[in-house]
Amino acid sequence: MMTRLLFGLSALSMSAAAQVTPAVPPADEGESQFAALDVDASGGLSLSEVQSAAPDVTANTFLQYDTDLSGELSETEFAAWRDATASEQ
């Protein structure tokens, strides 16, 4: 009985851990994070791609960093967002 309880609690804790919102990637991981988030390989990150790592990002916040108004964040724009967000934490 105790083994089942411990196993169940372990499974529950792993499930909860999988639902934790990912943190903003550190600056030294930015390039690899950018490539990983660019799921359509367009060379830019759409709002939905950014939200896959940071669900709280709003369209307004996204637009603040999409300085060329392309509808995607370039690597430079992403780095600016990442650095600004990292300093808020």
Side-chain angles (χ1 to χ4, degrees), residues 7-88:
F7 180 74
L9 288 174
S10 294
L12 181 61
S13 67
M14 287 189 293
S15 173
Q19 296 175 11
V20 173
T21 301
V24 175
D28 60 334
E29 295 178 13
E31 287 187 61
S32 61
Q33 184 71 21
F34 182 90
L37 292 174
D38 186 17
V39 295
D40 64 0
S42 66
L45 299 179
S46 66
L47 175 59
S48 63
E49 289 171 325
V50 171
Q51 287 174 330
S52 71
D56 295 339
V57 173
T58 65
N60 287 336
T61 300
F62 183 85
L63 286 173
Q64 289 175 346
Y65 293 97
D66 182 19
T67 57
D68 63 0
L69 302 176
S70 65
E72 294 187 320
L73 297 186
S74 65
E75 287 190 56
T76 302
E77 293 166 334
F78 173 73
W81 167 78
R82 180 197 60 226
D83 294 346
T85 306
S87 68
E88 294 172 3

